[in-house]
Amino acid sequence: MKTTPTHAPTTPAPYPWRRPALAALLLAEAMNLLDATIVQVAAPAVHAGLGGSVSDVQWFSTAYTLPFAVLLITGGRLGDIAGRRRLFVLGVTLFTAASVACALAPTAGLLIAFRAVQGAAAAVIIPQTIGLIKVMFEGDELSRALGSIGPVMGLAAVCGPVLGGVLTHADLFGSSWRAAFLVNVPVGLVVLALSPKLLENRAPHRPALDWPGTALAATGTGLLVYPLIGTDLTELPPRDWAALALGLLTLAAFALHQRRTTAPLLEPSLFTHRGFPAALATSTTFFAVTNGLLTVVVLQLQLQAGQGVLAAGLSLTPWSIGLAVSSWLSGRRGARRRMMPYGLALVLMGLTAAAAVYTTTDGTAPTRYPWPLLPALALVGLGAGLFTPAFFTLALRPLRPQEVGSAAGALNAVQQLGATLGVAVLGSTYLDGSAAAACAVAAALTALCWATSRRM
């Protein structure tokens, strides 16, 4: 009598196109986050070329950052509803077209308008990344893929000023600052060419879009972010303080609305994960430190050390190299939890070294270049590269499919808010005090980041 052999259930084969698909997602992340910082160094050249009011200079960056921060949570929810691949492709197409429009803008007013379109498109793209990664990877590969988000974000933030300085200085084919926007076009086309390899994904139970919650979140975030961009905190006029207070009240109303509505913009179950609120606080403080320090370094080199746009941009290269090396090492070891305190310790060492450098150079001749600053920035980069893969892996791994869209939007929104706070606080500390004092404030924020990360 023949018996039919029994077989253990087989494990499904991994998705074969997951690596080129991941490359498309990470390229899109880098392209969007580069644009958040690439204009910082090129802005004076933009103003010289297009003219207009001096106040337009800050709007070249603000017009991008503000809709980006305001619409991130809504962008994540739209991915839950309409499909994350569909929203991703739509966002990349719009972003690439807006980049061409920015490069061809004949006036400062039109450039500012096209920058706002870029920011809105970025808010549609970025929240889709996490859900698309989670549907294509499993197990240890999922941890490594999620862990790659942080280093890409960090490198993009650091490389933005470097690339902006290099492209503007190179003046390729007489393009001057316009090359800073045209560089997005080939990247966007590559992402669109790879996008058919992405698997479509949406929330298993299609949620309704919470329009009142969307309006409250957008209004509250806008009122909170708008007064902080490109301003000196010590000289905020009463109307800006009123806007901040109204923003906080609006966000409190948003939180109350989320508790009472039947179709919340943010999944209530997110806050049943013990570590998610701590992850929001950690992301806010960490990106406040890194983005604020970038601003201080660039300002000190140009305003005090007498360096040009190219030297200011290239001075961030040790940071970029350190971040790339340590994030690669962290990824090979699985981006474990213990990497976070190690990384923050290195950031703190780099800040201490930078403060010592600035203490000895403050008040010296304006042409003196602070060479000892470079190894200090390398230490900060090494620490950021260890911290970010572990942080994003730990923050995102426990999420359920229904939670992915709103969680991605919230994490990215507080990152932008933290970056804005960091630029405002550390930039103001430098302008009203010294670069050494700004490093001391950054060190205090790093200690706060360590405390919140322990609760994740």
Side-chain angles (χ1 to χ4, degrees):
M1 180 178 178
K2 295 178 67 176
T3 59
T4 304
T6 59
H7 299 282
T10 58
T11 303
Y15 177 57
W17 296 105
R18 63 195 183 282
R19 299 198 186 282
L22 177 63
L25 296 173
L26 296 180
L27 275 174
E29 288 257 4
M31 178 178 67
N32 283 270
L33 294 169
L34 272 173
D35 249 52
T37 56
I38 197 168
V39 180
Q40 288 177 350
V41 175
V46 178
H47 181 255
L50 295 181
S53 169
V54 175
S55 63
D56 288 343
V57 173
Q58 74 181 59
W59 277 103
F60 297 148
S61 294
T62 303
Y64 180 88
T65 308
L66 192 57
F68 190 11
V70 165
L71 298 174
L72 273 164
I73 296 176
T74 303
R77 207 49 158 169
L78 286 172
D80 288 338
I81 296 169
R84 297 187 177 104
R85 184 177 71 175
R86 180 181 300 173
L87 264 293
F88 178 84
V89 172
L90 176 64
V92 172
T93 302
L94 183 60
F95 187 92
T96 305
S99 297
V100 175
C102 286
L104 300 177
T107 66
L110 281 174
L111 175 60
I112 290 168
F114 294 141
R115 288 286 281 166
V117 175
Q118 276 189 312
V124 172
I125 296 168
I126 296 297
Q128 317 312 330
T129 303
I130 296 170
L132 292 171
I133 287 175
K134 293 193 76 169
V135 79
M136 294 185 296
F137 291 85
E138 295 180 352
D140 291 340
E141 280 197 340
L142 174 60
S143 295
R144 287 193 290 271
L146 290 174
S148 65
I149 296 174
V152 168
M153 292 168 66
L155 277 172
V158 176
C159 290
V162 177
L163 190 59
V166 169
L167 290 173
T168 303
H169 180 80
D171 193 21
L172 298 172
F173 307 107
S175 60
S176 183
W177 57 268
R178 299 180 189 273
F181 297 107
L182 289 174
V183 73
N184 293 327
V185 177
V187 178
L189 293 176
V190 169
V191 172
L192 290 174
L194 291 173
S195 61
K197 305 302 181 186
L198 296 169
L199 290 177
E200 184 58 282
N201 176 247
R202 56 173 55 86
H205 306 291
R206 180 172 177 170
L209 186 60
D210 177 16
W211 289 109
T214 298
L216 287 170
T219 303
T221 307
L223 287 169
L224 200 61
V225 171
Y226 174 78
L228 299 177
I229 299 179
T231 59
D232 182 350
L233 285 183
T234 63
E235 298 180 1
L236 281 180
R239 67 181 182 185
D240 284 347
W241 285 113
L244 289 172
L246 185 58
L248 290 173
L249 288 174
T250 306
L251 290 178
F254 168 72
L256 184 62
H257 170 76
Q258 292 298 285
R259 293 183 62 182
R260 295 181 174 179
T261 185
T262 56
L265 192 62
L266 281 174
E267 285 290 330
S269 59
L270 282 173
F271 297 92
T272 64
H273 297 295
R274 183 169 84 74
F276 189 74
L280 295 177
T282 300
S283 181
T284 304
T285 52
F286 180 77
F287 286 101
V289 170
T290 54
N291 285 270
L293 183 61
L294 281 173
T295 299
V296 171
V297 169
V298 170
L299 287 176
Q300 193 275 339
L301 286 169
Q302 295 192 61
L303 299 181
Q304 187 175 343
Q307 302 301 311
V309 61
L310 183 62
L314 291 178
S315 296
L316 300 174
T317 303
W319 186 331
S320 302
I321 294 173
L323 194 150
V325 170
S326 60
S327 60
W328 177 75
L329 292 173
S330 178
R332 284 180 61 87
R333 294 182 175 274
R336 299 168 187 169
R337 176 190 287 269
R338 67 171 178 268
M339 296 293 184
M340 290 199 295
Y342 293 161
L344 292 175
L346 283 173
V347 170
L348 194 57
M349 289 171 60
L351 289 169
T352 304
V357 172
Y358 286 134
T359 299
T360 59
T361 57
D362 280 348
T364 60
T367 55
R368 182 179 177 185
Y369 185 87
W371 290 103
L373 180 66
L374 300 183
L377 295 180
L379 276 176
V380 174
L382 286 168
L386 285 181
F387 174 85
T388 48
F391 167 74
F392 279 98
T393 299
L394 196 62
L396 302 173
R397 182 185 290 161
L399 298 183
R400 294 184 284 269
Q402 193 72 16
E403 300 166 338
V404 168
S406 56
L411 280 171
N412 282 284
V414 298
Q415 176 198 335
Q416 293 300 313
L417 180 60
T420 301
L421 289 169
V423 169
V425 172
L426 298 187
S428 176
T429 303
Y430 166 67
L431 293 172
D432 296 330
S434 67
C439 288
V441 174
L445 289 173
T446 303
L448 177 61
C449 184
W450 178 84
T452 57
S453 68
R454 285 178 58 84
R455 302 183 65 85
M456 289 177 60

